[in-house]
Structure formats: C-alpha cells, structure tokens
Amino acid sequence: RFCRPVQQWPAAALHSGLSIAPTSLLVVGVASLAAAMTDLSGVASPEMPSEQELKQIAQIRAECAADIDALTCRADDIVGDLRICRFLRSRQGDVQEATAWFREFLKWRLEYGMDAYRQEVVGRSPEDFVNWYDKRRNPYIRLCPYAGRNDQGNVLWFVHTGLNDPVKWVEHRQVSKEEDAKTINLVLEWTMWHLDVLSRREERMAYCIKVLDFRHLGGGGRKLPVFVPEFKGFFQGMLQSMQKHYCEHDSLFVMLNTSWVFRTLFSVVKLLFTKRQVSKIRLLGDASTAEVRSALSQIVPERLLHAEYGGPVQRLVGFLPQDSAEDIERWYQTRHTLAVEHAAPQPPPPPPPPPPPNGDGSGEAGHGSGEVEAGEVEAGKAP
C-alpha cells in the first residue's frame, strides 16, 4: 500500500501507532524525484552548436523576435546562440517545442523583472558570487551553488537534501518566501551567465554537476517536504523554473547516501525514463565506504571534496557544516534588512589578438588557439 501515491495512503496509516521508518518514507522521495527528473533531456553534449542547430536557432530567434525586443536586457547569455541552443537540445531538437519554451522563458523574464534583478549577480567572480549568496541564503535549505570545477571543467553544486528543514523554513523567518525564491532564481541566473562565459572562452558547452546527499532524510525530527505543503509548493516552483527557464545546464546528478529502499524503488521508477535520461543519474550508497568514495572521486576530484567525504575542504557555503544556533539567529535578525548590492560594472572585453601565422602564410589561426583547457580554472579563478 505504501507504493501507492501518498495522497491515496489511508489516514490511519499516517497517523496511527504504526511504525514507519524514515527509510520506508523514502518512497515519497522517489516519487518526488521521478517528477523532478521527467524533464531531463538526453546526455548533455559538450559540442558547440552545429551548422544545422545554428539554422534552427536562427529560426527560433526569428519566431520570438517581438518577445526579445520587449526585454530591457538582450545579453548573449539570455538570447545568444548558446542559450537558445540549450532550449533546442533540452527539447531534443524539436524546434516547435524549443520555440514554445524559449518564448515562455522570455515572457517570464519580463513579468518577473529578472532583467533588473540580474544586476545583483551577473559579472561577479565565483568567489564574489559565493560571498553574495552566503549573506542571502536560507539556513534551512542546504545548498552550495558553486564548489569549483572538476577535471572535466564542470561546475559543481552540492545539495544536502537530508538536512533541509521544511517546517523551520516555513515558520522561522522574517524575510519573505518570495525573497528566497528570488535568491535561488538569481543563483540560476548567475550560473547560466557563468556557463555562457566558460562555453565561449573554452569553445565547448559547459555544464553543472549536482551532488545530492540524502543522509538523515526524515531524521532529526525533520519532516519530509511532501508533508509540508508550503515547502513542497515552493520546491516544485523552483524545479519548474530550473527545468524550463534554466534548462539544459546539468550534465549529471550524483546521489549519495541513498538507502537500499530508495535504490530499490528507483530501479522501478527509472523504467519511466529513457536510457539517455538515466545516463544523467548516478545513484550511490554510503559515502563513508571506500567503494562509494572511489566512485565519487571519479566525478569530483578529492581536492574539492568536503571532509565528510574524505576531502580537505572544511566548509562548503550553505552545504556543510550546518549553521550554528548563533549563525541562524544572526540570519533571522538581519536577513530582511539586507540591502540590494549590484555587481560592479564589467569593463568591455579586450579585442581578440591577431591570429598567429600558420607557417603557410595564410594567417589563419590554428584550431584551439587561445583556448583554456577543461579543468584549468579552479574555484575563484574563473570569470
């Protein structure tokens, strides 16, 4: 009966003396995960747009010309070829669907006011961005949106799903929930801008890898999000924004400390996915074991791992360690008084250097001239 949707569970099963272990409740987490993953596109390609894709991108841009003209900011990371390419690839090359998604994204930006809000984050270095985020993040959502880049050049996120506290997120605040949503949307806005910068500089499509830790899910007196409607609604809204307005920025989801119940249920749920969708998911077990740590180190280099996973990093902002009672009280007393801080104006980019001669007198640049190799930029060093 617990494999049925939670809405169909008998009330007696939820509120009687029946003992339901936290691991059993992970069926809810798997159901939520399935909903979150249904819009995953296929394997993220590092290739720059092909000639065929560039023609399709031009078609999408032409179809959305009026909506683009309505924006107050028409930067490359919003309406450029690479951003539109992400919409196209997220819809697996379906121009009609990609056009609909891109048009919806443009209308949302106008209605939400993102063109003005983005001035807070766009142009910040990773270090500066993390400092900006640290002052605004909610301590009851355990998210670090920049932990450096791995050896393949992917931007790393860490999310401690198991330590999120939905009830305290709802009840213990002086700042509005809308402000929390704005902060996360701005995290995504910076991420897409940063990926666009990296993609253009390195001449390959850059992506994020998100590491999710499920340890302590449903423990420590914390409720699962599905049992806190207000938090559940907020989470679903953020997922929708991430999937549609900021689509195709993830190349991989790595899930740590998933119980055997979770993994067993997921083996059934994943039958709903395509093979290409499943390829974006790595489901791992106990992160304290040598086997799981070895698998994790193939994705995240040890130098960027938190001490929780055997690495040297002592603090990943917003992820671990958990905030102290004093930190939370300071956030509670000051967060709602925090002023808007715009990023410093960025100087115009320098003109490209003249192409070196090829030795045949043609003067054409060799392929890869001036490129930055994947993984060369560490945390705080990338633009």
Side-chain angles (χ1 to χ4, degrees), residues 161-181:
T161 306
L163 292 178
N164 287 343
D165 196 324
V167 172
K168 289 185 178 179
W169 180 86
V170 171
E171 297 178 353
H172 189 240
R173 59 167 58 247
Q174 294 197 69
V175 67
S176 70
K177 299 176 183 69
E178 290 75 20
E179 184 67 18
D180 275 356

Side-chain angles (χ1 to χ4, degrees), residues 165-275:
D165 196 324
V167 172
K168 289 185 178 179
W169 180 86
V170 171
E171 297 178 353
H172 189 240
R173 59 167 58 247
Q174 294 197 69
V175 67
S176 70
K177 299 176 183 69
E178 290 75 20
E179 184 67 18
D180 275 356
K182 174 188 165 187
T183 298
I184 294 179
N185 278 322
L186 284 175
V187 164
L188 292 166
E189 186 78 4
W190 181 87
T191 297
M192 296 304 290
W193 168 79
H194 187 58
L195 293 178
D196 193 78
V197 170
L198 295 176
S199 298
R200 292 174 186 281
R201 189 180 68 188
E202 300 173 8
E203 296 186 6
R204 65 180 187 86
M205 298 293 279
Y207 295 93
C208 290
I209 289 177
K210 293 178 180 173
V211 181
L212 292 81
D213 192 332
F214 287 79
R215 189 182 295 280
H216 307 305
L217 184 65
R222 293 179 297 275
K223 288 188 176 181
L224 291 172
V226 72
F227 296 133
V228 185
E230 200 167 351
F231 184 85
K232 177 185 173 184
F234 172 84
F235 179 72
Q236 289 174 332
M238 290 297 95
L239 277 178
Q240 182 178 10
S241 182
M242 190 176 298
Q243 292 165 0
K244 298 196 75 173
H245 304 148
Y246 298 96
C247 60
E248 194 66 10
H249 71 275
D250 298 308
S251 64
L252 188 65
F253 291 85
V254 181
M255 301 180 188
L256 300 175
N257 294 310
T258 53
S259 72
W260 69 267
V261 176
F262 191 108
R263 295 193 296 275
T264 301
L265 290 170
F266 185 78
S267 69
V268 177
V269 172
K270 74 177 183 181
L271 297 177
L272 302 173
F273 304 157
T274 67
K275 289 182 179 179

Side-chain angles (χ1 to χ4, degrees), residues 23 32 37 58 87 93 103 107 139 168 209 259 266 273 308 313 318 326 331 338 351 364:
T23 52
S32 299
M37 296 297 183
F87 283 91
R103 179 177 286 117
K107 291 182 181 295
K168 289 185 178 179
I209 289 177
S259 72
F266 185 78
F273 304 157
E308 178 81 3
V313 179
E326 292 78 12
W331 166 84
L338 201 60
E364 293 181 359

Side-chain angles (χ1 to χ4, degrees), residues 46-101:
E47 298 297 323
M48 295 292 273
S50 66
E51 289 298 322
Q52 176 62 24
E53 286 177 321
L54 288 173
K55 292 177 182 177
Q56 294 172 319
I57 289 166
Q59 180 181 342
I60 294 170
R61 186 182 287 110
E63 290 286 338
C64 299
D67 298 291
I68 292 173
D69 288 343
L71 298 177
T72 57
C73 179
R74 295 181 284 277
D76 281 340
D77 63 290
I78 302 172
V79 298
D81 288 349
L82 301 190
R83 185 61 181 274
I84 298 177
C85 184
R86 293 185 189 270
F87 283 91
L88 182 63
R89 290 181 180 177
S90 76
R91 299 296 87 207
Q92 300 184 49
D94 188 316
V95 174
Q96 186 175 354
E97 282 192 22
T99 301
W101 275 39

Side-chain angles (χ1 to χ4, degrees), residues 29-44:
V30 173
S32 299
L33 179 64
M37 296 297 183
T38 50
D39 284 325
L40 276 177
S41 63
V43 178

